[in-house]
Amino acid sequence: MSDKTHPAVRHMDQLINSAATPELTDELSADPMLVKLHEQLTEIREFIIAFAKGNPVEDIKTKGHLAGCVKTLQANLRHLTWQVRQIEQGDFTQRSAFLGDFSESFNCMAEQLETTVGELRKKEEELTELNESLRREIGLRTTAMRALQASEARFKFLAGHDSLTGVYNRRSFSEEAVRVMHTFLDKGRSCCVAMLDVDNFKDFNDSYGHLAGDAALQHVVRTVRSVLRRSDLLGRYGGEEFMFCFGGAGYKQGMELAERIRSAIADNALEWEEQSLNVTASLGVCHIPPPSAANVADFDSFFELVIKEADKNMYTAKQNGRNRVMGSSFATGQSL
């Protein structure tokens, strides 16, 4: 630029091309048009510099076509920023018609995000539905398993217990009694086994019917359970006969327990169809002191001998008038 160039032109050149904003000279400041042009270009220059640094938020107050174009650019950028924020919040319907290739890329990105998020939501719904289906299936399986376990427990109970009275059946009682005898006798402690027979049970059935007979057996079991120790075993031998095992009991204690059972049955009448029916029982006790089992190899066979001894004592009690207790010690086989 030559020295003959007008100062105003040089000033405008500096406004456009210099890094620093030039000041108006006194000569140029005297021209109001140049002052206004200087202010407009300076404001546009500052906006462009701020925009280049990534800050297009300052408003331009000057007017004119160029300023209007800058304001339009600013508005488009602000709208684009708002659209990006909308996409960030999940609104993938935003589309741009600004900046040509950039808009195409922006719109393509938005479409891909919308498709991807849609597929993810669909997968999430499918997974949620699958999870709910699995939860229902687990619930059904759990319910079925519990029902199976309850049924198994019920069948196991029925296999080892008498269906009428709920006490051990003969097989289960024998197994438990052998275990108890083995435990106590090995420790040098006595045991007692007792047999009980309901007196005149056939006559009772003939007089009141078999339903009353069943009720009488259930009544005997309820009454007996109320006086037994927690450690005592009770089982049904068959018909109207029941078995007991008093673990750790000596002869005297075994006889006392049997007498307590007999007395409780005799003192508690069966209420049946507005009638009070008396029920009595005869008991036989077999006391097993430790020396009796010192050389026992087969406790199952030994238990059968003990049962026979208790059964014999029970029949002795019935022959001696019923409603009484008879006992003996297995060591001698002598009735006491």
Side-chain angles (χ1 to χ4, degrees), residues 80-330:
L80 185 61
T81 301
W82 178 85
Q83 286 183 301
V84 171
R85 288 174 180 168
Q86 291 301 108
I87 290 176
E88 180 185 10
Q89 294 174 10
D91 180 8
F92 303 109
T93 63
Q94 298 296 322
R95 298 294 183 270
S96 174
F98 176 58
L99 291 180
D101 291 342
F102 173 83
S103 295
E104 291 182 8
S105 298
F106 178 88
N107 295 338
C108 182
M109 176 195 71
E111 290 173 2
Q112 289 179 347
L113 284 173
E114 185 175 18
T115 300
T116 301
V117 171
E119 291 176 352
L120 288 174
R121 285 173 178 167
K122 184 178 179 181
K123 290 293 184 183
E124 183 180 12
E125 292 174 358
E126 291 175 353
L127 288 174
T128 300
E129 184 178 351
L130 178 60
N131 183 62
E132 180 63 21
S133 177
L134 289 173
R135 189 190 66 78
R136 290 194 298 268
E137 180 67 21
I138 290 172
L140 291 174
R141 288 178 178 268
T142 300
T143 301
M145 182 62 69
R146 288 174 179 171
L148 182 62
Q149 289 173 343
S151 177
E152 182 180 359
R154 178 62 179 166
F155 280 119
K156 184 176 180 180
F157 178 86
L158 291 175
H161 292 74
D162 174 55
S163 59
L164 175 65
T165 61
V167 300
Y168 282 126
N169 59 26
R170 183 172 179 176
R171 178 182 58 81
S172 294
F173 177 87
S174 299
E175 292 174 354
E176 288 297 310
V178 166
R179 179 185 60 79
V180 170
M181 288 171 52
H182 208 303
T183 298
F184 281 97
L185 292 174
D186 280 353
K187 293 179 180 179
R189 298 182 61 186
S190 298
C191 288
C192 285
V193 170
M195 290 288 292
L196 176 151
D197 184 82
V198 179
D199 295 330
N200 301 312
F201 190 68
K202 183 179 182 303
D203 294 339
F204 188 95
N205 276 336
D206 292 342
S207 299
Y208 304 106
H210 288 285
L211 290 180
D214 289 345
L217 296 179
Q218 293 170 334
H219 170 72
V220 167
V221 167
R222 285 195 302 271
T223 304
V224 166
R225 277 178 165 167
S226 68
V227 298
L228 287 178
R229 303 176 304 173
R230 293 182 63 183
S231 60
D232 294 333
L233 299 179
L234 166 62
R236 187 178 180 186
Y237 189 78
E240 68 273 22
E241 294 183 338
F242 294 89
M243 305 175 287
F244 302 87
C245 180
F246 308 137
Y251 176 77
K252 180 179 179 182
Q253 186 178 13
M255 292 292 287
E256 289 174 350
L257 288 168
E259 175 58 28
R260 187 190 304 173
I261 292 169
R262 183 208 64 76
S263 177
I265 295 172
D267 294 342
N268 289 274
L270 167 65
E271 300 299 326
W272 176 257
E273 295 184 347
E274 300 181 355
Q275 300 179 76
S276 293
L277 306 180
N278 293 323
V279 179
T280 62
S282 301
L283 290 92
V285 178
C286 178
H287 167 239
I288 313 106
S292 301
N295 298 315
V296 172
D298 184 355
F299 258 89
D300 291 331
S301 298
F302 178 68
F303 176 72
E304 291 300 322
L305 295 176
V306 171
I307 284 290
K308 288 181 180 179
E309 182 71 15
D311 189 61
K312 182 185 70 173
N313 293 334
M314 178 190 70
Y315 275 100
T316 300
K318 295 180 78 66
Q319 291 170 356
N320 289 342
R322 297 186 176 85
N323 191 24
R324 65 188 63 242
V325 177
M326 297 294 294
S328 66
S329 177
F330 187 80

